[in-house]
Amino acid sequence: MHYNRIAREAKTFAVLLTAGTTILIGTSAQGQSKPIASAPSTSTAPAASTRRAFVKPPDLELRKKLTALQYEVTQRAATETPFRNIYWDNHEPGIYVDVVSGEPLFSSLDKYDSGTGWPSFTRPLEPANIRTKTDRMLGYQRTEVRSAHADSHLGHVFDDGPRPTGLRYCMNSAAMRFIPAAQLEADGYGQYASLFKAGTAAKAAKH
């Protein structure tokens, strides 16, 4: 079941030349055409015992750390090409964090196939790490999603998603880094490991 209007929208793609690298950037609405009033406040994340400091590095450091596409998306609000990005079809369990700051954003437990060609989620893993703002870049109103600490452009959120939230967080893969469930402890996100252990146990109990 698809929750988008991608088949009815005209798409154009611009070629960005950054540091001699050719990048395809989609200037479509990410299969997005309807704004929402606000983001949900329910978190699927367990309470963290300690709080990490998520900081945005200086621009010079960012240019060295990020690929040209990651920089264009997170710092200049570009949109990556649908179906040609790393996470749109990723089904592995784990979490998605801001590629700039590392702040936790979304979980695979809330990921679904929206049919748009971009990774889509029904809600954020940590609502406190997400903020929204009105975006009129395409001539009409949308709701942009940015990370709270690094102020990275992530994508947009719409109210045409599935239950239980009815929301579709349509994100850019280039704005995120995926951490598999098996590596959460090693990468410093151990507080989220229980989410996937519980999911595995529940699945086993059904068989």
Side-chain angles (χ1 to χ4, degrees):
M1 183 176 182
H2 292 178
Y3 303 88
N4 61 89
R5 301 171 183 78
I6 196 168
R8 299 196 297 272
E9 294 182 351
K11 302 178 181 65
T12 60
F13 296 98
V15 177
L16 288 179
L17 297 178
T18 305
T21 302
T22 300
I23 310 164
L24 289 177
I25 302 292
T27 58
S28 72
Q30 286 203 18
Q32 305 167 352
S33 58
K34 294 174 62 180
I36 65 163
S38 61
S41 59
T42 302
S43 173
T44 56
S49 56
T50 59
R51 289 290 180 183
R52 293 175 54 182
F54 300 108
V55 180
K56 179 179 180 178
D59 187 70
L60 184 59
E61 184 177 335
L62 278 181
R63 291 178 180 275
K64 295 178 180 179
K65 172 183 177 181
L66 305 179
T67 66
L69 177 58
Q70 289 172 333
Y71 188 90
E72 291 297 326
V73 168
T74 60
Q75 306 305 303
R76 296 178 177 171
T79 298
E80 65 191 0
T81 307
F83 302 103
R84 294 178 62 184
N85 56 84
I86 190 171
Y87 300 134
W88 78 272
D89 197 32
N90 181 36
H91 302 289
E92 189 176 354
I95 69 172
Y96 297 80
V97 304
D98 187 334
V99 72
V100 171
S101 65
E103 56 198 285
L105 301 172
F106 298 96
S107 165
S108 62
L109 298 174
D110 302 309
K111 189 174 186 288
Y112 74 101
D113 182 6
S114 65
T116 61
W118 289 278
S120 299
F121 307 85
T122 58
R123 58 186 173 184
L125 173 63
E126 289 284 4
N129 292 341
I130 294 291
R131 67 181 183 88
T132 60
K133 61 182 291 187
T134 299
D135 172 11
R136 294 187 176 87
M137 289 180 62
L138 297 183
Y140 57 89
Q141 184 172 307
R142 296 183 297 167
T143 301
E144 180 189 7
V145 179
R146 303 186 74 89
S147 62
H149 297 82
D151 193 33
S152 301
H153 170 77
L154 305 174
H156 293 83
V157 59
F158 299 87
D159 61 2
D160 58 1
R163 295 179 179 179
T165 66
L167 298 177
R168 171 170 57 97
Y169 284 83
C170 194
M171 303 292 99
N172 286 282
S173 291
M176 305 183 295
R177 177 168 68 93
F178 177 70
I179 303 176
Q183 295 180 19
L184 290 173
E185 293 281 357
D187 285 11
Y189 298 91
Q191 68 267 36
Y192 302 105
S194 61
L195 291 175
F196 302 97
K197 292 176 182 177
T200 301
K203 185 176 180 180
K206 292 181 181 180
H207 295 282

